[in-house]
Amino acid sequence: MYKLLKYPFLSRFMVSWRNPLSEAEKEEWTSVSVNSHSGGHIQGLFAPSYQEAAKATIVLGHPMSKDAKGFFLKKGYTDLLRKNGYHTLVFDINGFGESSHGNFSYFEDILAIGLTAQELQPELPVGYFGISLGGQWATISFADENHPYKFAIIESAASSLDEFWRKMPLTYWLLQCLNVLFPRYAKQVRMEERIKEAKHLHSLLLIYSQSDQWTPVSMGEQFKQNSAVPTELWLVEQADHAGIMESDSREAYCQKILSYLERESAACRQQCLSGNQDSA
């Protein structure tokens, strides 16, 4: 049933997944799977840092894309993170890539895979990096008391499902019908409101492009205004939606990502060390 309901929204993205890694590269990655409360069986890939002393585990949530978790593999994100000391865990949101279909509660998938990341490397802090779809639904996951994320980057995320789909009249009409049929759920997934309930995060970094027509800077500003945790909004001047890595701002973008992760992961490790010393 959920697959049929998703069809008007996601039909062109619900395709068979192809692994972009070479046979040699696949040897570096370990398959990960977990059942989500969305009803989907979530599939992911985990790879260790290239540095001996890892700083954190970073979970990467993909945009609405046929590549699904392959988005990060193909565009250089995982190499960037691994070379700079981070374990990486990429995953497919339910109905995308190799993950089976569940309901529309994608935030449950983000919660489930984060808890798995924590189990894989319990001695390290877990951070999150979500783009577009993988970013907007994470803002709801952050309101869950049990989420494991200590810091997060949210990029090009819609602050409202209504505003995101408004440009597509038929899909927008269907969304309004679903809102009427399921008013409690519609309230539960109001990203711009649920960010007010964010917990456990030490900080949040929002990244937006000033030329993005799908998720304008005003959405980032709304998230920042409503966020319950210390939040920075960082902008690039010119880049397509979910396309900053391939824009002229790539170098500054990578530097911003790494400087943020370095600062926050170090703070988490220091906090953990101080806690252990106090316990002793």
Side-chain angles (χ1 to χ4, degrees):
M1 179 184 73
Y2 286 114
K3 184 175 181 179
L4 291 175
L5 286 174
K6 290 176 183 178
Y7 195 82
F9 298 94
L10 304 172
S11 59
R12 63 195 178 103
F13 305 112
M14 296 188 296
V15 298
S16 297
W17 189 72
R18 295 183 178 181
N19 194 326
L21 298 172
S22 68
E23 291 303 315
E25 289 171 330
K26 289 177 184 178
E27 296 296 320
E28 301 177 11
W29 294 82
T30 302
S31 294
V32 174
S33 62
V34 61
N35 290 321
S36 167
H37 286 304
S38 70
H41 189 65
I42 307 306
Q43 300 290 340
L45 292 170
F46 173 84
S49 162
Y50 289 128
Q51 296 184 11
E52 185 174 351
K55 302 170 184 176
T57 300
I58 308 300
V59 176
L60 297 126
H62 64 80
M64 211 157 33
S65 165
K66 293 178 181 179
D67 292 326
K69 63 180 178 288
F71 174 89
F72 295 107
L73 300 170
K74 293 172 68 174
K75 296 187 183 296
Y77 286 92
T78 54
D79 280 342
L80 176 72
L81 295 175
R82 295 177 66 199
K83 287 176 181 177
N84 284 277
Y86 301 97
H87 298 322
T88 60
L89 177 54
V90 295
F91 71 103
D92 296 321
I93 290 170
N94 87 75
F96 290 83
E98 298 178 297
S99 293
S100 65
H101 279 279
N103 58 31
F104 285 100
S105 297
Y106 301 132
F107 58 89
E108 297 283 11
D109 306 338
I110 295 167
L111 175 60
I113 201 69
L115 293 172
T116 299
Q118 189 175 54
E119 292 173 0
L120 287 170
Q121 299 289 329
E123 76 284 0
L124 291 175
V126 179
Y128 186 80
F129 186 177
I131 298 179
S132 190
L133 177 78
Q136 68 185 88
W137 288 94
T139 61
I140 300 173
S141 304
F142 298 153
D144 193 293
E145 185 65 41
N146 297 313
H147 88 77
Y149 301 110
K150 300 303 182 185
F151 47 89
I153 300 173
I154 300 298
E155 178 184 329
S156 304
S159 57
S160 162
L161 292 175
D162 287 349
E163 290 302 316
F164 183 81
W165 291 108
R166 192 180 295 275
K167 295 180 180 180
M168 304 177 68
L170 182 59
T171 308
Y172 179 73
W173 175 83
L174 176 58
L175 176 63
Q176 298 312 303
C177 292
L178 292 173
N179 287 343
V180 171
L181 291 171
F182 305 102
R184 291 181 62 184
Y185 185 77
K187 183 178 180 180
Q188 184 184 11
V189 298
R190 291 182 63 189
M191 291 86 182
E192 72 276 25
E193 292 297 320
R194 297 304 304 279
I195 194 70
K196 296 176 181 178
E197 304 171 44
K199 49 183 66 75
H200 306 322
L201 292 173
H202 294 176
S203 72
L204 181 62
L205 171 62
L206 304 171
I207 298 178
Y208 284 77
S209 166
Q210 295 180 15
S211 62
D212 189 339
Q213 298 301 308
W214 284 99
T215 54
V217 171
S218 59
M219 291 186 172
E221 291 172 341
Q222 186 168 27
F223 272 139
K224 186 177 188 299
Q225 180 179 350
N226 289 357
S227 178
V229 301
T231 300
E232 177 187 359
L233 174 60
W234 188 78
L235 306 178
V236 301
E237 184 175 351
Q238 185 73 34
D240 293 336
H241 179 69
I244 302 177
M245 194 61 144
E246 299 175 307
S247 73
D248 291 341
S249 299
R250 177 189 174 105
E251 183 176 350
Y253 172 65
C254 291
Q255 289 177 352
K256 184 64 179 180
I257 290 169
L258 293 175
S259 64
Y260 172 78
L261 295 179
E262 177 67 30
R263 183 184 75 237
E264 294 304 314
S265 62
C268 287
R269 294 194 305 274
Q270 181 61 42
Q271 184 180 55
C272 182
L273 180 62
S274 298
N276 291 337
Q277 290 174 342
D278 291 342
S279 298

